[in-house]
Amino acid sequence: MMIEINRVGVIGAGQMGTGIAQACATAGFAVRLNDRDGKRIDAAVSNIDTTLAKLVSKGKLAQTASHEARERIVPAPSFADLADCDLVIEAATEHEATKRQIFSTLCPSLRPDALVATNTSSISITRLAAATDRPERSIGVHFMNPVPVMQLVELIRGIATGEETYEAARMFVAKLGKTSTMSEDFPAFIVNRVLLPMINEAIYTLYEGVGSVTSIDNAMKLGANHPMGPLELADFIGLDTCLSIMQVLHEGLADSKYRPCPLLVKYVEAGWLGRKAKRGFYDYRGMEPFPTR
Ligand SMILES: CC(=O)CC(=O)SCCNC(=O)CCNC(=O)[C@H](O)C(C)(C)COP(=O)(O)OP(=O)(O)OC[C@H]1O[C@@H](n2cnc3c(N)ncnc32)[C@H](O)[C@@H]1OP(=O)(O)O
Ligand SMILES: NC(=O)C1=CN([C@@H]2O[C@H](COP(=O)(O)OP(=O)(O)OC[C@H]3O[C@@H](n4cnc5c(N)ncnc54)[C@H](OP(=O)(O)O)[C@@H]3O)[C@@H](O)[C@H]2O)C=CC1
């Protein structure tokens, strides 16, 4: 039987949860937005208001469509508020224990037939699904940042993921107007298996003094036609998330080539997490970002 998705719960109102909520609402899904901190939900909704207003002013979204999308997003401060969801997407911090804890406390609040997905960038879908009461109805649905703009969504099946669950996730991505790819449940899947070692190497290039932040980013933007330099992109993703992904690759594949650069570790220890903390490889506290090295 085909699983129909109409109501989507999103857990974690950070940059990805905000983008997922916006993309779902503009595609016609009812959205329940959860975070452990109510202020984060308010901030996410206010960011969505700003983005939708920009899209309307640029003539890319009709005023009525923007209004309807906004009406579809409802704050959901507790997991009980997700009880009527057909699909819940977890987009909390990239930390396995946090995600496992979310799934084990979330599931008793959900309908038995609801699907659960994780937006994890790297962590085993099989292990996360084992923390739910429904591994066959669990799947990795990995959006790219910024969600409303990026075309790809990686779908990752855990060992127990059912065919119906995979098909429902595929249809969901298609309804969002995005393209899905399938990847096996290996550390960091496809995109981050390739992208994060490149970013980590850029940080080693900085650490070893081969070039400055500006030189490295300009080299890759102008020399390899990347839309953002690797250090700018690391700040955009979040340096805590970059470090977590490298740690999953290093531990999961047991190969020293994935060793996180000590400079990345140092920035995270300093709380310089990139754009979201207003400081990373660039300092974002002034009018224009300027390099910190
Ligand atoms: C870590 C992981 O697990 C996986 C990942 O996500 S890895 C990261 C993947 N993402 C990337 O690699 C992003 C690389 N960067 C880029 O592609 C581009 O720099 C960018 C799309 C982010 C910004 O592009 P830009 O041209 O510099 O900025 P900007 O002009 O502001 O935005 C581009 C378009 O997106 C739209 N846009 C931006 N943010 C938006 C949002 N939140 N909602 C809707 N539209 C948005 C803008 O309206 C704009 O559209 P037009 O060009 O038609 O006017
Ligand atoms: N950033 C990126 O480019 C991409 C990230 N991802 C993945 O998406 C997920 C989220 O990343 P991102 O949005 O960047 O991270 P953010 O740090 O921006 O947001 C994470 C949010 O989750 C909240 N949170 C933490 N613990 C809980 C909890 N127990 N219950 C509910 N909410 C919680 C955080 O709250 P608080 O701040 O209070 O801890 C924060 O609001 C991660 O798994 C990441 O790997 C996937 C694709 C791209």
Side-chain angles (χ1 to χ4, degrees):
M1 202 183 67
M2 192 61 210
I3 303 167
E4 201 180 320
I5 295 169
N6 296 307
R7 279 179 296 267
V8 179
V10 179
I11 297 177
Q15 52 179 338
M16 293 306 288
T18 305
I20 294 167
Q22 181 187 315
C24 289
T26 46
F29 295 99
V31 177
R32 313 273 183 267
L33 182 56
N34 169 275
D35 196 284
R36 62 178 171 184
D37 180 352
K39 288 199 202 95
R40 291 256 184 218
I41 306 177
D42 297 342
V45 170
S46 150
N47 283 339
I48 293 171
D49 283 339
T50 307
T51 309
L52 292 177
K54 267 193 210 154
L55 293 175
V56 170
S57 72
K58 281 185 181 175
K60 298 178 111 197
L61 188 69
Q63 180 67 56
T64 45
S66 160
H67 179 74
E68 283 165 12
R70 185 55 192 79
E71 293 279 289
R72 291 188 194 107
I73 303 173
V74 176
S78 92
F79 287 162
D81 301 318
L82 305 176
D84 65 352
C85 288
D86 307 305
L87 164 70
V88 176
I89 305 171
E90 171 281 314
T93 312
E94 186 73 351
H95 181 244
E96 184 165 340
T98 301
K99 291 183 187 290
R100 291 178 71 95
Q101 170 69 24
I102 287 174
F103 284 126
S104 59
T105 48
L106 164 75
C107 284
S109 301
L110 301 181
R111 284 200 328 257
D113 63 334
L115 303 182
V116 290
T118 172
N119 185 50
T120 180
S121 295
S122 59
I123 300 165
S124 161
I125 304 305
T126 300
R127 282 207 304 274
L128 293 179
T132 74
D133 59 3
R134 60 194 78 198
E136 71 293 344
R137 299 181 87 78
S138 303
I139 189 162
V141 177
H142 180 213
F143 289 87
M144 305 295 133
N145 189 12
V147 179
V149 177
M150 301 297 282
Q151 185 61 32
L152 184 78
V153 180
E154 275 187 292
L155 295 178
I156 309 105
R157 276 194 259 224
I159 197 167
T161 306
E163 194 53 33
E164 276 189 349
T165 303
Y166 173 70
E167 266 313 304
R170 217 174 52 79
M171 296 300 290
F172 167 67
V173 172
K175 202 172 162 196
L176 290 174
K178 298 190 183 291
T179 304
S180 53
T181 53
M182 225 289 282
S183 91
E184 292 301 325
D185 190 15
F186 267 67
F189 324 124
I190 296 174
V191 171
N192 288 330
R193 172 82 178 258
V194 178
L195 182 67
L196 262 293
M198 189 273 287
I199 288 177
N200 196 46
E201 201 58 32
I203 303 171
Y204 270 114
T205 310
L206 178 68
Y207 180 60
E208 290 169 9
V210 183
S212 65
V213 167
T214 309
S215 306
I216 294 165
D217 275 352
N218 279 343
M220 294 308 288
K221 278 195 286 194
L222 304 179
N225 252 6
H226 289 196
M228 284 177 166
L231 302 172
E232 188 188 359
L233 182 56
D235 274 0
F236 182 62
I237 291 168
L239 301 189
D240 52 343
T241 303
C242 291
L243 177 58
S244 296
I245 298 169
M246 287 311 299
Q247 285 167 336
V248 168
L249 280 166
H250 194 214
E251 283 160 26
L253 297 169
D255 189 329
S256 62
K257 76 179 178 183
Y258 299 112
R259 186 171 77 104
C261 178
L263 189 61
L264 173 61
V265 176
K266 198 178 267 187
Y267 269 62
V268 173
E269 284 172 349
W272 293 14
L273 305 182
R275 272 202 208 180
K276 64 184 170 188
K278 299 211 178 307
R279 215 176 337 182
F281 292 111
Y282 294 84
D283 188 324
Y284 301 89
R285 291 171 299 171
M287 294 291 280
E288 289 291 328
F290 69 90
T292 51
R293 285 175 99 83

